[in-house]
Amino acid sequence: MRIREDMRCWCLVLLASYLAAVKAEVQWPGGTYGLPMPDTGCPSDGATDWKNGWTYHDTEDDNNENQRSNIFHMPGNFSAHGIQQKFCLKVGNNDNTGSEIWPEGKYCLYKKGVCPSGLKEGFIRWDDEQSEIDYKDKHFGDLPDGVYEKSHTTINYCCSTKGNVNNPIQLPALKPFYLLTYDSAQCQKVAGTKVTSEFIKFDDDDQGNTDAAGGSHPYGPSEDPFNLKIYYCYYEPGQESEDDLGTGKQVRSKIPTGKASSSGLAVAIGCGVAGAIVGTASIAFATKRILAHRARAAYDILDDPQPDGP
């Protein structure tokens, strides 16, 4: 009886340690910040509670030149009249126990509260159109730190300015997500993802334009100081090609990809053997149920995209 109880305790401790490690791998870093929203919705990892909101920019009426990349994965209204930006804001830790330190690289996030450790602050200011012809500037829900007026929009950012964009960093890769570029239009590599470079060009007010950018901010405003251009990086689960990595090696994500990991299988087998040795199948059965539940939770249905229109 004593051996049986010891084996049960050992197995449960081992299983709990494995599940805790898996959970930690797929979590977003702690702290408060924001990301651009993809058309699949905010990138839930099962522990992070995202809030969302949007802002609408009234753009130039005369000979409007709003532009976006041919490949584009953002929801929201985009037309010659105006452009809507949608946001995913992490405003608290909730069940998230991830480190608040972001990996070194070159990328930007939206600022919400204090910038995460090691990231530098900056801003971009849009001089939006001020006529009565189209919808005026509007905003709704949870927004990045900034200033949201009827004729101007200022959004604050937190940027990682160190590291090499070709050295893949580790972030959750279960669902699509965005980062913003820093220092160039080149996207930071993220292990276990395929990345697509995208952009939006805002045709801002032509009369007395006061567009501005300062501090550490996403790349793009310097290309046209009167019509702001912002570069975005869209990441989706997948395998980078050797050509894209710039390192000559494939990078395999540490994030689960839908198949049982070798460590998880080892736990299941070990616990099953332990159960057989002590004459009970309950441990193996419980192990199988817990691992199956974990796999389902990691691949829940994607968030519905938010409706278009301000």
Side-chain angles (χ1 to χ4, degrees), residues 42 44-51 89-96:
C42 296
S44 175
D45 58 6
T48 303
D49 183 18
W50 298 97
K51 305 296 183 183
L89 277 299
K90 183 177 178 296
V91 298
N93 278 332
N94 303 104
D95 294 330
N96 183 298

Side-chain angles (χ1 to χ4, degrees), residues 4 7-8 10-11 269-284:
R4 178 178 297 179
M7 292 297 287
R8 282 179 177 173
W10 170 84
C11 187
I269 294 174
C271 289
V273 171
I277 292 174
V278 300
T280 176
S282 60
I283 295 177

Side-chain angles (χ1 to χ4, degrees), residues 29-302:
T32 58
Y33 49 84
L35 303 174
M37 180 187 291
D39 53 15
T40 52
C42 296
S44 175
D45 58 6
T48 303
D49 183 18
W50 298 97
K51 305 296 183 183
N52 57 71
W54 53 261
T55 183
Y56 178 81
H57 302 259
D58 182 13
T59 55
E60 177 60 39
D61 296 323
D62 298 329
N63 300 314
N64 183 277
E65 296 182 358
N66 286 344
Q67 186 181 2
R68 62 183 179 183
S69 51
N70 291 331
I71 300 176
F72 196 73
H73 295 90
M74 290 186 177
N77 188 351
F78 183 97
S79 71
H81 302 284
I83 298 173
Q84 184 182 31
Q85 296 192 79
K86 292 192 173 184
F87 312 107
C88 296
L89 277 299
K90 183 177 178 296
V91 298
N93 278 332
N94 303 104
D95 294 330
N96 183 298
T97 57
S99 169
E100 294 193 9
I101 299 177
W102 282 73
E104 286 191 356
K106 289 189 176 180
Y107 55 87
C108 293
L109 320 169
Y110 294 121
K111 182 176 183 290
K112 189 67 175 178
V114 178
C115 280
S117 177
L119 273 59
K120 297 182 178 180
E121 182 177 348
F123 72 91
I124 294 177
R125 181 179 188 270
W126 285 258
D127 185 356
D128 300 316
E129 181 62 80
Q130 303 166 34
S131 73
E132 300 293 332
I133 297 176
D134 298 320
Y135 285 116
K136 294 183 178 180
D137 282 10
K138 297 178 67 177
H139 57 272
F140 176 82
D142 288 272
L143 303 172
D145 288 353
V147 179
Y148 301 90
E149 302 174 325
K150 292 182 178 180
S151 58
H152 298 83
T153 302
T154 300
I155 296 179
N156 297 338
Y157 300 88
C158 300
C159 297
S160 175
T161 62
K162 299 179 181 179
N164 188 327
V165 293
N166 289 316
N167 292 337
I169 62 175
Q170 292 286 344
L171 290 174
L174 291 176
K175 292 185 178 181
F177 64 92
Y178 274 102
L179 296 176
L180 298 101
T181 63
Y182 176 78
D183 195 41
S184 76
Q186 187 175 358
C187 289
Q188 172 68 48
K189 299 296 184 182
V190 176
T193 68
K194 297 179 181 179
V195 61
T196 304
S197 177
E198 303 178 4
F199 71 84
I200 300 177
K201 183 177 181 180
F202 299 77
D203 189 349
D204 299 319
D205 192 4
D206 288 343
Q207 297 183 355
N209 184 281
T210 58
D211 284 352
S216 298
H217 58 79
Y219 178 78
S222 61
E223 291 190 1
D224 186 342
F226 304 112
N227 297 293
L228 290 173
K229 189 174 185 179
I230 311 294
Y231 286 88
Y232 303 84
C233 300
Y234 175 76
Y235 300 89
E236 55 188 324
Q239 184 66 50
E240 287 280 11
S241 69
E242 293 183 2
D243 292 337
D244 290 339
L245 282 174
T247 61
K249 298 180 180 179
Q250 287 187 327
V251 174
R252 298 188 181 278
S253 174
K254 293 182 180 179
I255 307 304
T257 59
K259 298 180 180 179
S261 67
S262 58
S263 58
L265 185 59
V267 171
I269 294 174
C271 289
V273 171
I277 292 174
V278 300
T280 176
S282 60
I283 295 177
F285 178 75
T287 301
K288 182 178 179 181
R289 290 291 300 274
I290 293 174
L291 290 176
H293 176 75
R294 181 66 192 178
R296 289 195 300 272
Y299 292 89
D300 55 356
I301 298 174
L302 294 176

